[in-house]
Amino acid sequence: MIKFYVFLIFSCSIFFYGITVGHYEIFPFDFIQSSKSLILNNFEKDQNNILIYENDIDSLIKINSENDIIDKRKNLTNFIWKNTIPYSSLILIDKNIEDLRYSNFINLKSIDKLNIEMEYEINSIAYLFLPENSNNELIIYHQGHAGDFIEGKDSIEFFINEGYSVLAMSMPLLGMNNNPIIDLDNFGKIKFTNHKQLRFLESSTFSPIKFFVEPIGVSLNYLENFNFNAYHMMGISGGGWTTILFSALDDRISQSYSVAGSFPMFMRSDSKNIGDYEQIIPELYSIANYLELYIMGSYGSERKLVLIYNEFDPCCFPGELYEKYPYLEVISQKLNLLDDGEFDVIIDKSSNKHEISNMILNQILDELDS
């Protein structure tokens, strides 16, 4: 009986001590709370690591023949240009300009400035870098949301030194591109500085996605006067996304390289991988989802699309996530059935930054020269 009373007193003491700790937050309340937080954080981290729930990506791909690609390309074109003529915007050329930011380029012969003017007074300014010693091939370099293509100066110089002409471009509203004030019905006058604002321009007769791809096509039409032997394209981040979409639309692009540019929709549970306005338009990607865009950008004679992911990219689309659900084999199998084109994925383990590393630049050069 004595043991029972001792146990009862001990139990009550523990109970009231626990209440006191919780109510007055005395020691070891902080320790208990921190331990609880650690457990919850680890649980949430484990839950967040379960980022991919799709297990049948083959069923998402509705391309089984060349005609399927032709149809999807036609439907994408109709969606973007709303049955108007693609690549019909005005282009203004300013030859042999001077830009001191690039004056230290060794193999640079000249810079031409291209200005493409589009609807709502939105424009796109590109630089055509022509090398002194040329291999007569062109690379389109497309900068992402970081802004001006000066951010890619090292990449541009790298290829100019190797004899490539480079057409450098920025995304709409960024870099040297303008930020017009647009008067909108029911909303008033708005200065456009962000891609999210472009959705205000969507209508049954106009798609703002045109601003992302129209300048490239207009520029290519102009560059056909130079008789380049081949056109290639590469881009970082939003420029990598642009590379994927444009190479899917226009088969004049031979080899294309997208760095940290996209994941298929089912790999975007993590908020940092969701993407900007242009990356998640349901009407666009119901015509051709990302897996299908990869096939369309790869398919064709001597055509190739390479997706490059930095393994621990702090911004978005890290290679470590791709490695949990690689889709290279599925895309390659589709291309084997189509019997044309090549697709590849490269994980850059040399960099933990959101960048095009020197290793990747050299690997792209090796593939272009092979």
Side-chain angles (χ1 to χ4, degrees), residues 14-288:
I14 293 296
F15 174 74
F16 285 110
Y17 177 68
I19 293 176
T20 304
V21 168
H23 182 72
Y24 294 103
E25 301 186 2
I26 64 174
F27 178 84
F29 177 81
D30 290 339
F31 173 77
I32 294 172
Q33 285 298 101
S34 63
S35 298
K36 178 182 177 183
S37 297
L38 181 62
I39 293 170
L40 287 175
N41 287 338
N42 284 337
F43 173 76
E44 290 173 358
K45 184 178 179 181
D46 288 340
Q47 289 297 102
N48 287 334
N49 280 336
I50 307 173
L51 294 171
I52 303 169
Y53 305 92
E54 180 58 54
N55 56 15
D56 184 17
I57 65 175
D58 187 68
S59 66
L60 300 175
I61 301 173
K62 304 300 192 297
I63 293 177
N64 297 297
S65 68
E66 182 180 30
N67 285 335
D68 291 334
I69 291 177
I70 293 172
D71 288 342
K72 284 185 177 292
R73 190 170 286 151
K74 179 181 178 181
N75 291 334
L76 276 178
T77 300
N78 289 339
F79 173 81
I80 295 170
W81 284 276
K82 304 300 183 185
N83 299 311
T84 60
I85 300 174
Y87 311 156
S88 59
S89 297
L90 177 66
I91 182 171
L92 304 174
I93 311 296
D94 192 359
K95 287 184 171 292
N96 201 21
I97 69 162
E98 183 178 6
D99 190 325
L100 296 179
R101 297 177 299 171
Y102 305 98
S103 60
N104 61 338
F105 282 10
I106 296 173
N107 191 36
L108 181 62
K109 178 181 179 181
S110 64
I111 303 174
D112 291 350
K113 179 180 178 182
L114 285 59
N115 185 7
I116 296 90
E117 298 181 347
M118 298 173 284
E119 290 87 347
Y120 300 99
E121 298 184 355
I122 289 178
N123 77 336
S124 179
I125 292 176
Y127 275 9
L128 174 62
F129 296 90
L130 296 172
E132 193 71 50
N133 298 308
S134 174
N135 64 5
N136 207 36
E137 293 192 14
L138 176 86
I139 293 179
I140 302 169
Y141 173 83
H142 212 292
Q143 182 59 47
H145 291 90
D148 196 304
F149 49 75
I150 188 67
E151 299 292 333
K153 181 179 178 180
D154 290 345
S155 299
I156 295 168
E157 183 179 19
F158 177 85
F159 286 105
I160 290 174
N161 287 342
E162 296 296 331
Y164 288 88
S165 298
V166 177
L167 178 70
M169 311 189 77
S170 302
M171 302 187 85
L173 307 177
L174 301 177
M176 292 185 288
N177 300 335
N178 65 352
N179 301 111
I181 297 172
I182 302 175
D183 193 355
L184 301 172
D185 292 342
N186 301 321
F187 299 107
K189 296 177 181 178
I190 301 174
K191 184 175 183 178
F192 275 58
T193 60
N194 190 289
H195 292 164
K196 293 179 181 178
Q197 296 169 304
L198 293 174
R199 68 186 64 197
F200 287 114
L201 304 180
E202 290 179 352
S203 71
S204 59
T205 58
F206 186 79
S207 170
I209 290 297
K210 175 179 180 178
F211 296 135
F212 294 88
V213 290
E214 172 84 355
I216 309 170
V218 172
S219 299
L220 274 185
N221 285 352
Y222 164 73
L223 291 173
E224 287 183 352
N225 298 318
F226 288 73
N227 295 315
F228 288 113
N229 294 330
Y231 304 107
H232 312 292
M233 187 168 179
M234 62 180 292
I236 172 73
S237 196
W241 168 85
T242 309
T243 297
I244 290 166
L245 180 60
F246 189 79
S247 62
L249 285 165
D250 197 316
D251 62 5
R252 286 180 292 182
I253 302 298
S254 296
Q255 297 190 39
S256 46
Y257 301 86
S258 168
V259 181
S262 79
F263 275 155
M265 290 298 187
F266 63 82
M267 294 179 66
R268 297 180 182 232
S269 296
D270 190 331
S271 59
K272 75 175 185 178
N273 295 323
I274 291 176
D276 298 273
Y277 151 79
E278 62 273 9
Q279 291 232 10
I280 52 173
I281 301 173
E283 295 82 2
L284 174 65
Y285 300 105
S286 63
I287 298 172

